Amino acid sequence: MKTVVSGIRSTGNLHLGNYYGALRNFIRMQHENRCFFFIADYHSLTTHPNPKDLYPNVKNVLTEYLAAGLDPEVSTIFIQSDVPEVTELYLMLNMHAYLGELSKTVSFKEKARKQPENVNAGLLTYPTLMAADILLHNPDEVPVGKDQEQHLEMTRRFARRFNNFYGVEYFKEPVAYSDGTQMIKVPGLDGSGKMGKSEGNCIYLIDDAKTIQKKVMRALTDQGPTEPNSVKPDYIENLFTIMQIVSAPETVAFFDEKWNTCEIRYGDMKKQLAADIIEAVNPIRERILEINANPAILHKAVTLGKEKARESAGKTIREVREIMGFRNF
Ligand code: ADP
Ligand code: TRP
């Protein structure tokens, strides 16, 4: 059984892209692997969030992940700051992380450009904290998107450097998780290639039926095809792609046929698409409301997660201290 670790950003509501592109894989993989999923609240400090936002942000993300089906009895789901061992490993790894390599990281350069008034050391050492998150549980694989590839590469480098420096074979060099299935990319309803928070084109798991209907009915369409079997423009292709993700294959085939024979009625297609999205999202939404009404569910989940994560983290820290030469008096 493989060990898998992944961190989740602690801001914002989950949208269909997050769900079908990432979360559903987490939910699937938790049954076949030893999984650690945590909410990266220490990482969020790089942007100096208002203290009053910190807790609701973490709570919100945790609620949505549990509601969607991450099971605290199966996976270890925890809050990063509940396992302070990570800060010790971060300190140790930082002693072997160099200014040259940290300042060349793409994410650092981007952040430094975006917030020139706050280029703090936490931003510079973001990759070491991420490496500490990962190496703390010595996993085989890390399920992350393409944008995190460089951080994962640095994690491997830090692991290798530690092993070489201390003459041990201690840390594994974790690779990106892959279960062999095609990654799903959810397009936007506005004709853009990607549904995303910064794109402002999202359907959220917390959206109610009316909101979803409104968003789908507003999606960009046109007069319809004039030639049979013509190529679909991107904004129409996107509707079909979303339909392939949420609807039954017969439904997609039905509208595809209508497209090919120039008989498509976008109003009907959108009504069907909205209904199918609602059906997919509604059970999650109901579960979110249920958890909101019963916060003991969260308490139980993170208490269990903290205990399991600290056990694994404690073992690593004891062993790393030993390797580095720390001794008890
Ligand atoms: P956003 O900022 O749009 O919420 P993030 O960049 O925080 O998204 O991504 C969180 C996770 O969700 C990542 O694993 C990312 O690959 C996945 N993800 C985000 N948007 C999509 C999308 N439209 N299609 C597929 N996966 C997505
Ligand atoms: N940096 C990741 C992101 O922005 C979040 C993250 C923090 C993470 N620590 C991690 C992901 C450890 C995987 C493993 O999405």
Side-chain angles (χ1 to χ4, degrees):
M1 186 180 266
K2 284 182 193 154
T3 299
V4 168
V5 175
S6 198
I8 297 156
R9 279 180 229 179
S10 59
T11 45
N13 289 97
L14 292 171
H15 53 75
L16 285 187
N18 301 140
Y19 179 66
Y20 287 104
L23 181 49
R24 240 185 17 163
N25 295 340
F26 289 3
I27 293 166
R28 225 180 285 138
M29 78 175 74
Q30 66 181 343
H31 299 287
E32 291 133 35
N33 301 282
R34 175 174 172 254
C35 291
F36 292 86
F37 297 120
F38 67 92
I39 300 181
D41 57 348
Y42 278 145
H43 271 112
S44 75
L45 296 178
T46 54
T47 55
H48 299 171
N50 192 321
K52 74 174 177 11
D53 295 331
L54 202 71
Y55 173 76
N57 282 346
V58 171
K59 180 173 176 230
N60 199 20
V61 172
L62 179 67
T63 300
E64 297 200 351
Y65 273 82
L66 294 183
L70 273 194
D71 183 346
E73 305 277 344
V74 178
S75 302
T76 300
I77 300 161
F78 64 102
I79 313 295
Q80 188 182 29
S81 61
D82 269 348
V83 185
E85 285 82 355
V86 74
T87 59
E88 186 169 350
L89 187 57
Y90 168 58
L91 178 144
M92 289 159 165
L93 293 176
N94 265 334
M95 303 303 166
H96 294 278
Y98 293 94
L99 181 61
E101 58 190 341
L102 293 170
S103 59
K104 273 205 287 270
T105 314
V106 174
S107 61
F108 173 72
K109 288 196 291 193
E110 227 168 74
K111 277 278 161 64
R113 196 171 43 80
K114 271 198 207 148
Q115 49 180 71
E117 72 299 341
N118 179 20
V119 188
N120 60 62
L123 216 48
L124 182 71
T125 56
Y126 187 107
T128 2
L129 181 54
M130 180 158 161
D133 289 327
I134 296 170
L135 298 177
L136 199 56
H137 307 287
N138 218 355
D140 304 278
E141 294 186 5
V142 183
V144 281
K146 254 203 147 14
D147 61 326
Q148 298 298 315
E149 244 165 34
Q150 190 181 29
H151 291 153
L152 197 53
E153 177 61 44
M154 292 174 85
T155 301
R156 283 195 287 275
R157 200 190 313 149
F158 293 147
R160 196 157 53 236
R161 192 176 289 162
F162 181 94
N163 289 346
N164 288 341
F165 188 89
Y166 295 104
V168 290
E169 279 292 322
Y170 185 69
F171 288 124
K172 288 186 248 185
E173 292 182 33
V175 296
Y177 174 89
S178 154
D179 65 356
T181 56
Q182 191 78 33
M183 297 270 274
I184 289 182
K185 186 163 137 204
V186 181
L189 282 168
D190 54 353
S192 78
K194 182 178 178 268
M195 184 177 288
K197 261 194 296 285
S198 31
E199 284 77 4
N201 59 2
C202 297
I203 292 182
Y204 291 100
L205 300 183
I206 189 67
D207 281 348
D208 60 18
K210 251 211 179 103
T211 309
I212 293 175
Q213 260 156 4
K214 229 191 267 164
K215 288 182 177 175
V216 174
M217 295 319 275
R218 268 205 312 257
L220 187 65
T221 47
D222 53 24
Q223 304 299 315
T226 48
E227 302 260 329
N229 301 317
S230 43
V231 176
K232 301 180 182 100
D234 284 351
Y235 50 93
I236 300 296
E237 187 68 49
N238 285 355
L239 288 183
F240 275 92
T241 303
I242 301 178
M243 197 169 232
Q244 271 160 10
I245 294 168
V246 298
S247 307
E250 309 82 74
T251 308
V252 185
F254 173 83
F255 287 103
D256 213 30
E257 170 70 19
K258 294 280 177 209
W259 167 270
N260 283 333
T261 54
C262 304
E263 293 170 291
I264 192 150
R265 288 160 54 155
Y266 291 127
D268 292 350
M269 181 176 179
K270 286 176 172 178
K271 249 186 232 150
Q272 182 66 48
L273 181 60
D276 292 338
I277 294 175
I278 292 164
E279 200 176 311
V281 164
N282 224 9
I284 303 177
R285 180 184 142 76
E286 278 173 14
R287 181 96 183 114
I288 295 172
L289 300 178
E290 201 179 302
I291 296 174
N292 284 343
N294 187 2
I297 297 174
L298 297 184
H299 177 76
K300 193 169 160 218
V302 294
T303 308
L304 183 64
K306 175 177 170 173
E307 195 181 301
K308 290 194 281 182
R310 287 200 78 174
E311 193 182 313
S312 156
K315 178 173 176 289
T316 305
I317 290 296
R318 274 193 305 280
E319 291 168 352
V320 167
R321 277 174 159 255
E322 171 89 23
I323 291 167
M324 294 179 79
F326 289 93
R327 295 284 181 277
N328 290 328
F329 284 94

